[in-house]
């Protein structure tokens, strides 16, 4: 009886060392613009969304998270510039960590797209 050949190695499914993080594979949840926050605060359903996409040793990158009120470019995006927003992110991160995942927060400023007039109409003179 001859020895069976080893199954082929699939590079995408091999471990990877990313700085201090030991990833079990090379599949990453890329950041998506979900626009499902209320008043720039991540909602409880974000815990379910991110934890469903978590695997032990997997890397998830958060959707674009606005860094200030003047960085906003789109409605219903989560932020991280107030204590309320930071506290709302904690259950999301905890859920990912509980399942053994690694979670990065993608911080951003919408740049030229940011327009306070789109979100703060009361500030405009009539």
């Amino acid at each position: 009886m001859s020895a069976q050949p080893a199954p082929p190695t699939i590079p995408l499914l091999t471990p990877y060392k990313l700085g201090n993080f030991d990833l079990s594979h090379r599949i990453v949840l890329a950041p998506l613009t979900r626009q499902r926050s209320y008043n720039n605060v991540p909602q409880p359903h974000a815990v379910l969304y991110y934890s469903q996409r978590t695997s032990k040793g997997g890397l998830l990158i958060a959707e674009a998270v606005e860094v200030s009120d003047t960085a906003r470019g789109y409605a219903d995006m989560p932020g991280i510039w107030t204590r309320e927003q930071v506290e709302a992110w904690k259950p999301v991160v905890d859920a990912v960590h509980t399942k053994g995942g690694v979670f990065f927060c993608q911080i951003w400023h919408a740049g030229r797209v940011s327009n306070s007039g789109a979100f703060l109409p009361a500030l405009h003179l009539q």
Side-chain angles (χ1 to χ4, degrees):
M1 190 163 153
S2 64
Q4 294 288 332
T9 301
I10 303 171
L12 194 58
L13 301 178
T14 60
Y16 184 75
K17 177 85 170 161
L18 179 65
N20 293 330
F21 302 101
D22 293 314
L23 305 178
S24 60
H25 52 75
R26 298 164 188 242
I27 301 169
V28 177
L29 175 71
L32 305 168
T33 305
R34 300 179 56 239
Q35 294 183 274
R36 294 194 173 197
S37 294
Y38 177 73
N39 200 24
N40 300 104
V41 177
Q43 298 300 296
H45 68 270
V47 174
L48 178 63
Y49 174 82
Y50 285 106
S51 67
Q52 285 177 333
R53 287 150 181 82
T54 302
S55 64
K56 183 170 177 54
L59 173 62
L60 283 76
I61 303 174
E63 60 202 285
V65 177
E66 297 168 329
V67 294
S68 76
D69 192 39
T70 59
R72 297 164 53 196
Y74 304 95
D76 303 320
M77 297 296 292
I80 198 159
W81 74 88
T82 70
R83 174 143 325 272
E84 180 184 17
Q85 293 163 343
V86 170
E87 292 301 318
W89 276 111
K90 286 181 180 181
V92 176
V93 175
D94 289 345
V96 171
H97 288 171
T98 296
K99 291 180 85 174
V102 176
F103 192 79
F104 283 9
C105 178
Q106 176 195 203
I107 57 174
W108 81 314
H109 186 293
R112 290 184 64 189
V113 176
S114 62
N115 176 358
S116 63
F119 306 107
L120 307 169
L123 296 178
H124 288 279
L125 299 175
Q126 300 296 326

